[in-house]
Amino acid sequence: MKPHVVVLGGNFAGLGSAQKVRELCGESVSITVIDRKNFLLFVPNIPAEVFEDRDPSKTLAMDIASTLDEDDIGFIQAEIKAIDPDARRVDFVPNERPGAAPESMSYDYLVVAVGNRLAYDKIEGFAEHGHTVSDFYYGNKLRHFLAHEYKGGPVAIGSARFHQGDGTKDVKLYGGHAFPSAEAACEGPPVETMLSMATWLGQHGKGGPDKITVFTPAALIAEDAGEKVVGKLLEIAGGMGFNYVNEAKDITRITKDGIELASGKNIEAELKLVFPDWVPHDFMKGLPISDNEGFVVTDVTMRNPKYPNVFAAGDAAAITVPKLGGIGHAQCEIVAKQIAKDLGKMAPVEADKPLEPVVYCIGDMGNNMAFYIRSNSWFGGPDQILKMGHMPFLLKMQYKNLFFKTKGKMPEWGLDASKLLAEKLFAA
């Protein structure tokens, strides 16, 4: 029988891993993807849709089953309940209709790409008084609030504290650089949201940046982008009038009147736009493949050291910090190359190239403008680049269009073309 590759998760990292395994291993493997939902949620463009008053559920969902079927990849819509790496088994419950019986599936290779739980339920007062832009429901809830309830009061935007775990303590990057520790899971979204919100306020005659306070649990917001990039961002934001609170420590409580921070500071706000802690799913905790928080431990080839037939990609991997799509995309290719190497389809010299994480971030600013960041300095690399203007906005929109057109199979030249356009041929 063919080796069976089971991929847990069907969003960016899961879809990308399954497609790359098929591309590099051909018909020598059978592949099954399991996900609780039957569509891919295109998260990066939700803020842009919301602030343009468009329903993101109508423009940012892609059917998973038909997409995978094009490459003869099986799909099961189910809730994953357990992983037994010794028995090489995954337990799940089909969830198309309530009442399904528990099922199990064996694997030869397992790719854990289930993402995380976004722990809004850990933030006191979020359900009653908080907003965010991380999925269709919350995006449309914010659209309704802005259109019908918001009276033009102050706005607070920021992150809860992230609990990284110890899964990267032995990982070295870029020639021996120790793996960094993050206080926030990913702060591209807060920066994007604050800039887009300021544009929205101006367009609707409700003020400008001075009405917005952005906060971070860390000493420096978006620290993974590098001190040079963040310093420039803060200089620009300060000149525009944004208010900035660092070392907030965590979100203690959201109330009708604002946000209470663990640092002891309170921010007055009518609109509270927050981003939560990113925590592993419950079934990931306590496993021999997981760290003390529940993230999957891997080396720089995305293999688990104890179970070399278990891989991780995307946000479920301990090594994915910040929780950023560009890093997950690189990991998908590494996973596929490693499996191809095992099956004699690729030479070790090509397959064993280690992960070298890079922060790629393009954030909408409104008015057909966006910022572009490419940086690896936080990991020990040499690069820190920031650009702002119309070209990054076009890149962000065209990436989404191309992703849907190709069903996630982005061309190999895509990243190089983006770098050329944004960094070399850049025009504001």
Side-chain angles (χ1 to χ4, degrees):
M1 291 180 61
K2 297 178 181 179
H4 187 199
V5 181
V6 174
V7 180
L8 305 183
N11 228 66
F12 288 109
L15 175 64
S17 294
Q19 289 175 330
K20 274 292 178 183
V21 169
R22 177 61 78 215
E23 177 187 337
L24 298 182
C25 298
E27 295 303 316
S28 63
V29 296
S30 61
I31 308 171
T32 304
V33 172
I34 305 175
D35 197 300
R36 63 177 177 80
K37 55 183 177 31
N38 62 1
F39 63 91
L40 179 141
L41 175 66
F42 199 92
V43 177
N45 284 47
I46 293 176
E49 296 296 274
V50 167
F51 287 113
E52 290 294 329
D53 196 23
R54 294 189 292 263
D55 182 348
S57 69
K58 295 179 179 178
T59 58
L60 300 179
M62 186 174 78
D63 181 72
I64 284 292
S66 60
T67 298
L68 292 170
D69 187 59
E70 291 184 6
D71 291 303
D72 192 26
I73 297 171
F75 174 71
I76 298 171
Q77 185 179 335
E79 292 282 350
I80 301 157
K81 295 297 183 181
I83 299 170
D84 187 334
D86 291 305
R88 298 188 175 191
R89 189 186 73 235
V90 175
D91 299 334
F92 59 91
V93 176
N95 67 353
E96 295 170 54
R97 300 186 71 179
E103 301 277 352
S104 296
M105 176 173 288
S106 61
Y107 62 82
D108 296 291
Y109 290 98
L110 180 69
V111 183
V112 183
V114 290
N116 302 138
R117 287 185 64 250
L118 299 184
Y120 294 110
D121 53 351
K122 289 187 175 183
I123 302 175
E124 182 181 347
F126 173 79
E128 298 85 357
H129 308 296
H131 287 278
T132 194
V133 288
S134 57
D135 64 22
F136 298 155
Y137 172 79
Y138 286 128
N140 281 322
K141 183 179 177 182
L142 176 59
R143 283 178 65 226
H144 183 274
F145 181 82
L146 292 174
H148 303 291
E149 300 177 38
Y150 178 59
K151 295 178 174 59
V155 180
I157 300 172
S159 302
R161 187 188 164 217
F162 171 55
H163 297 81
Q164 183 168 320
D166 62 2
T168 56
K169 65 181 187 301
D170 298 324
V171 174
K172 303 294 182 186
L173 301 168
Y174 289 94
H177 190 275
F179 200 94
S181 178
E183 293 292 309
C186 181
E187 291 194 299
V191 173
E192 176 179 36
T193 305
M194 81 175 196
L195 293 166
S196 296
M197 186 71 217
T199 298
W200 186 93
L201 289 171
Q203 289 173 338
H204 291 80
K206 295 183 182 295
D210 61 327
K211 193 169 282 184
I212 300 171
T213 299
V214 62
F215 64 91
T216 176
L220 196 66
I221 193 169
E223 58 187 345
D224 50 82
E227 291 185 4
K228 181 174 125 182
V229 163
V230 176
K232 190 173 180 181
L233 271 174
L234 289 176
E235 181 183 354
I236 293 169
M240 294 170 70
F242 287 99
N243 303 291
Y244 174 55
V245 174
N246 66 337
E247 297 186 330
K249 306 302 181 187
D250 204 350
I251 298 171
T252 300
R253 186 163 67 117
I254 300 177
T255 69
K256 180 178 179 295
D257 299 316
I259 296 180
E260 299 174 5
L261 301 172
S263 64
K265 185 176 180 64
N266 296 337
I267 301 174
E268 179 186 349
E270 179 189 357
L271 172 58
K272 287 77 63 174
L273 258 164
V274 301
F275 299 86
D277 188 7
W278 298 41
V279 301
H281 297 282
D282 289 341
F283 67 84
M284 294 302 307
K285 297 176 181 178
L287 294 178
I289 60 173
S290 302
D291 68 8
N292 64 321
E293 289 290 336
F295 296 104
V296 181
V297 178
T298 71
D299 58 20
V300 290
T301 64
M302 306 315 298
R303 283 186 191 261
N304 181 262
K306 294 180 181 177
Y307 297 86
N309 66 327
V310 175
F311 297 85
D315 297 339
I319 204 172
T320 311
V321 180
K323 301 301 183 185
L324 195 65
I327 295 176
H329 177 77
Q331 293 168 348
C332 295
E333 187 160 345
I334 292 172
V335 167
K337 286 180 175 180
Q338 287 292 299
I339 296 175
K341 180 187 75 170
D342 286 1
L343 300 178
K345 299 284 186 179
M346 182 171 288
V349 67
E350 172 65 17
D352 290 342
K353 291 178 181 177
L355 175 70
E356 292 187 335
V358 178
V359 171
Y360 284 104
C361 183
I362 303 180
D364 183 48
M365 299 169 59
N367 283 335
N368 297 328
M369 302 275 284
F371 64 85
Y372 166 98
I373 294 171
R374 180 175 66 83
S375 176
N376 57 19
S377 64
W378 197 56
F379 307 103
D383 299 328
Q384 289 191 54
I385 294 171
L386 170 67
K387 299 288 186 180
M388 290 181 169
H390 295 297
M391 183 60 74
F393 174 79
L394 291 173
L395 288 173
K396 186 177 182 74
M397 296 303 113
Q398 288 307 311
Y399 178 86
K400 189 268 287 189
N401 294 339
L402 190 58
F403 187 94
F404 277 79
K405 184 177 180 179
T406 64
K407 301 291 185 71
K409 296 179 182 177
M410 301 300 289
E412 295 292 333
W413 47 261
L415 188 56
D416 290 337
S418 295
K419 287 166 63 176
L420 176 67
L421 290 169
E423 298 176 28
K424 304 299 183 184
L425 305 179
F426 178 84

